[in-house]
């Protein structure tokens, strides 16, 4: 399907960009992907996202959209007929939005916040990170995916737990998604990353791990934050 | 219009609760309002919002909804026909959501963050707070309200700038919405609070100011944050 001039400004490792790519693919929308250098931000990025200066930016014709959750809603509303992302029922939609916001706040901030900390400091927040993931176990009860039988909006949003968390776990020597206390979420991570459209878009592990290692070392020797 | 058992757990001073009340009133939905004591949280509040333990909570029948922006979307989707809150066009919807999120982050955190600080510390963040409001001036260009000729989703969300900011300004002796550099936003504050449905729901100034004064003093002598 023609995408009416859809372009995506992204950065290969960003789970927020990954959300948009996956949504566009599920909807069957063709788009041009433009990799941005976040160290030397392009005039294009600054022009289209002057407030946050971040990726993803979706360009639909000449209209720029930013903030991944807002872009997902836009994509779902603009290409309504192909593969609905959010549930139809208003209450289920509200629940999907609630858990999306929750996950972008509590687990994301706890896990990402520990990324460039010493092992001792990480251990302090490990329990908090694990606890923050536990409510998702309840949400998954009786379902294969958060979206039901197929992946939907919430799977797309929570996707980073399935592909970024394992890389963090390996790098830091910790376990966030514990298979014993979170069997459903653990199984979902496997199921989600095995969906062909998801799998083909994941950052390659052999590229992701060394990249994160370098970033972590840089951050630990400075006071910057990631991402 | 019958609200199918709509209840709102709130707290009279909360701008987040005010959003929901205003949306329900604009839609013509009858509801029962239940004032919560946030110092001694009720079992009801903890049961319906176990994650955040905050107001507002909207109960529609036995279904609880939390997070004011998510509740607003739910109200708009459930009672679609009466007084649409969000614009119809997907891009305009995305823009309204973008500025709602922006205002809940940057200006809210900057202004609220300075509430219980000393005058000297407040002065440091005053410029930052004013700057954070300036983009809204652009959004208002050529419009009476953020929603156009009548108030909509974004007016409801940004409402706190019109009724909480002036109270802060009076209490702290600062000016956030400067009429010289932000004439449109300043005029909007007057226009918005003069809309009859808005006006009738505002916390009374003679109750708001002494309340905020006491809260501020309590916070300044402790390390808690507000709200």
């Amino acid at each position: 399907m023609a995408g009416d001039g859809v372009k995506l400004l992204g950065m290969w490792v960003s789970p927020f960009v990954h959300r948009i790519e996956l949504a566009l693919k599920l909807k069957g929308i063709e788009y041009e992907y433009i990799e941005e250098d976040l160290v030397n931000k392009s005039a294009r990025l600054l022009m289209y996202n002057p407030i946050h200066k971040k990726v993803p930016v979706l360009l639909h014709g000449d209209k720029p959209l930013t903030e991944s959750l807002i872009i997902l809603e836009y994509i779902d509303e603009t290409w309504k007929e192909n593969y609905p992302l959010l549930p139809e029922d208003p209450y289920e939609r509200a629940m999907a939005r609630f858990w999306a916001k929750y996950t972008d706040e509590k687990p994301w901030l706890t896990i990402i916040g520990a990324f460039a900390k010493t092992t001792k400091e990480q251990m302090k927040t490990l329990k908090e990170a694990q606890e923050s993931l536990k409510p998702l176990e309840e949400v998954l009860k009786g379902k294969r995916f958060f979206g039901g039988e197929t992946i939907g909006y919430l799977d797309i949003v929570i996707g980073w737990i399935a592909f970024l968390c394992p890389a963090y776990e390996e790098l830091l020597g910790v376990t966030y998604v514990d298979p014993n206390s979170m069997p459903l979420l653990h199984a979902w991570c496997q199921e989600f990353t095995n969906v062909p459209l998801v799998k083909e878009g994941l950052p390659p592990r052999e590229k992701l791990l060394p990249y994160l290692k370098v970033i972590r070392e840089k951050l630990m020797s400075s006071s910057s934050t990631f991402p």
Side-chain angles (χ1 to χ4, degrees), chain A residues 102 106 126-135 176 182:
Chain A
Y102 169 80
K106 192 74 181 161
L126 179 61
K127 180 109 188 121
E128 188 186 342
Q130 288 169 335
E131 287 301 318
S132 76
L133 293 170
K134 278 200 184 145
Y176 289 122
M182 290 175 260

Side-chain angles (χ1 to χ4, degrees), chain A residues 28 54 80 101 112 130 151 172 180:
Chain A
K54 284 182 181 176
K80 260 185 210 155
K101 184 170 188 284
I112 299 302
Q130 288 169 335
I151 61 172
L172 311 175
N180 295 313

Side-chain angles (χ1 to χ4, degrees), chain A residues 195-209:
Chain A
V195 171
L197 271 188
V198 174
K199 201 170 193 167
E200 71 175 45
L202 292 180
R205 202 177 153 281
E206 66 278 9
K207 196 176 158 193
L208 182 61
L209 275 179

Side-chain angles (χ1 to χ4, degrees), chain A residues 205-221:
Chain A
R205 202 177 153 281
E206 66 278 9
K207 196 176 158 193
L208 182 61
L209 275 179
Y211 173 83
L212 290 175
K213 199 161 182 269
V214 170
I215 292 283
R216 184 165 181 256
E217 280 159 10
K218 270 194 196 160
L219 289 173
M220 287 186 77
S221 61

